[in-house]
Amino acid sequence: DTLGNDVDDEWIPYPKAVTALAAASKRAAEIDEKTNSKTNSTTAVSCASLGGWHACAADPTGRLFAWGGNEYGQAGVDTGTAGRGVHVSLHLSVPELVPFPSGLKITSVSCGGMCSFAVVERTGEVYTWGQTVGSEKEPARSPVRVPGVRGVSSLVAGMFHALALQEDGRVMSWGNGYYG
């Protein structure tokens, strides 16, 4: 369910709150308690993005959640089906926590067609996952840092490319440049 409502309806004609985000945040906070981290569950969202068949949203503590299509790892949650043909993971009907290295807080997210990107607090580093932008390489099943990119204040993803605005006003781009 790309809408994150965990229902079988193909069409939801009126806006409906994605209440499953609160449940996912609560599960993540319970895991944090077990590891002695000090985070709380929240129903608030600080940023969100919609991709081709998936969506991502971060809560105010910097945890990122994803749901929807995950055929190319674009939701960033490895469900253990890697290596079984082109599709690397199953569809996620409710938001799941995207695993980042410990201590990273996400401030911005942008979803492309079969990939996703996130900007990290303080450093402005960018992480990506899913089908590598414009590439035939093996999909990244979990977030990996984009080398050479720091100081990003905002980022947008297209179907097969990305643009990052850096704090100094420069714009960086990468991915498929076939159309210019």
Side-chain angles (χ1 to χ4, degrees), residues 85-115:
V86 174
H87 297 160
V88 297
S89 298
L90 299 175
H91 175 87
L92 304 172
S93 61
V94 295
E96 295 286 342
L97 183 65
V98 178
F100 281 91
S102 181
L104 293 185
K105 291 185 174 185
I106 303 306
T107 59
S108 177
V109 63
S110 187
C111 298
M114 297 172 289
C115 57

Side-chain angles (χ1 to χ4, degrees), residues 17-179:
V18 181
T19 56
L21 274 171
S25 181
K26 182 177 180 185
R27 286 193 309 273
E30 289 168 357
I31 291 168
D32 288 346
E33 283 179 14
K34 291 178 185 173
T35 61
N36 293 324
S37 294
K38 300 217 186 246
T39 59
N40 299 312
S41 69
T42 179
T43 58
V45 171
S46 59
C47 62
S49 181
L50 180 62
W53 298 277
H54 69 294
C56 293
D59 69 14
T61 68
R63 293 180 299 219
L64 187 73
F65 301 89
W67 62 96
N70 199 25
E71 299 84 356
Y72 300 94
Q74 67 266 37
V77 180
D78 187 356
T79 58
T81 59
R84 298 183 188 166
V86 174
H87 297 160
V88 297
S89 298
L90 299 175
H91 175 87
L92 304 172
S93 61
V94 295
E96 295 286 342
L97 183 65
V98 178
F100 281 91
S102 181
L104 293 185
K105 291 185 174 185
I106 303 306
T107 59
S108 177
V109 63
S110 187
C111 298
M114 297 172 289
C115 57
S116 300
F117 300 88
V119 178
V120 177
E121 183 180 66
R122 284 187 232 129
T123 64
E125 292 177 315
V126 174
Y127 278 73
T128 186
W129 58 97
Q131 182 63 44
T132 306
V133 182
S135 172
E136 296 299 320
K137 293 180 181 179
E138 181 72 20
R141 293 169 184 84
S142 59
V144 294
R145 194 174 59 78
V146 176
V149 180
R150 293 180 63 85
V152 171
S153 58
S154 67
L155 185 136
V156 292
M159 183 59 98
F160 298 113
H161 63 289
L163 293 173
L165 175 62
Q166 293 184 297
E167 293 163 347
D168 63 7
R170 291 183 299 149
V171 174
M172 299 182 79
S173 64
W174 64 97
N176 186 339
Y178 184 74
Y179 296 103

